[in-house]
């Protein structure tokens, strides 16, 4: 799992004699995986955008199909934990993206965070 995380990271990892053995063991593989990850995101960014309506319809259908398999509260809890941990990075990324700015996603996410934190 750590190799996967390192491969998806945009920061460079410097290894030394005190680095964990699992990082040293897979260090030579990470550049190959990074190339795959970069290609994946490049390809995704070139894909045509879908409408909000199409996305909503798809998510509603997926929710219906997997209603008995999914614990919504657990998923929301995990998302909130992740958002809290990386709040500044996520909000900065939302500010930098033209689509996100157009749809005011920074402000919407802030509203969700404030609503959840005030109910905790």
């Amino acid at each position: 799992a750590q190799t996967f995380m390192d491969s998806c990271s945009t920061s460079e990892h410097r290894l030394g004699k005190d680095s964990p053995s699992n990082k040293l063991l897979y260090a030579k593989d990470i550049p190959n995986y990074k190339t795959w990850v970069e290609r994946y995101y490049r390809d995704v960014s070139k894909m045509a955008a879908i409408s909000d309506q199409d996305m909503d319809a798809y998510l509603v259908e997926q929710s219906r199909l997997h209603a008995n398999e999914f614990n919504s509260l657990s998923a929301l809890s995990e998302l909130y934990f992740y958002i809290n941990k990386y709040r500044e990075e996520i909000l900065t990324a939302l500010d930098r993206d033209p689509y996100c700015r157009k749809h005011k996603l920074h402000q919407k996410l802030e509203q969700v965070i404030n609503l959840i934190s005030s109910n905790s």
Side-chain angles (χ1 to χ4, degrees), residues 1-8 13 15 19-34:
Q2 186 63 49
T3 302
F4 177 74
M5 295 296 290
D6 290 345
S7 298
C8 293
H13 298 280
L15 299 174
S19 297
S21 60
N22 64 325
K23 285 194 176 202
L24 294 171
L25 184 61
Y26 295 106
K28 65 179 178 7
D29 297 326
I30 291 176
N32 292 332
Y33 297 145
K34 275 188 177 278

Side-chain angles (χ1 to χ4, degrees), residues 43-72:
D43 291 348
V44 168
S45 71
K46 292 178 183 176
M47 295 172 73
I50 63 170
S51 70
D52 289 345
Q53 187 177 21
D54 288 345
M55 184 63 160
D56 287 345
Y58 174 78
L59 292 175
V60 165
E61 178 63 12
Q62 290 302 309
S63 179
R64 186 188 65 74
L65 289 172
H66 302 284
N68 296 329
E69 305 168 20
F70 191 68
N71 184 332
S72 298

Side-chain angles (χ1 to χ4, degrees), residues 37-50 97:
V37 170
E38 289 166 358
R39 186 177 338 121
Y40 170 79
Y41 282 107
R42 189 173 49 252
D43 291 348
V44 168
S45 71
K46 292 178 183 176
M47 295 172 73
I50 63 170
D97 185 273

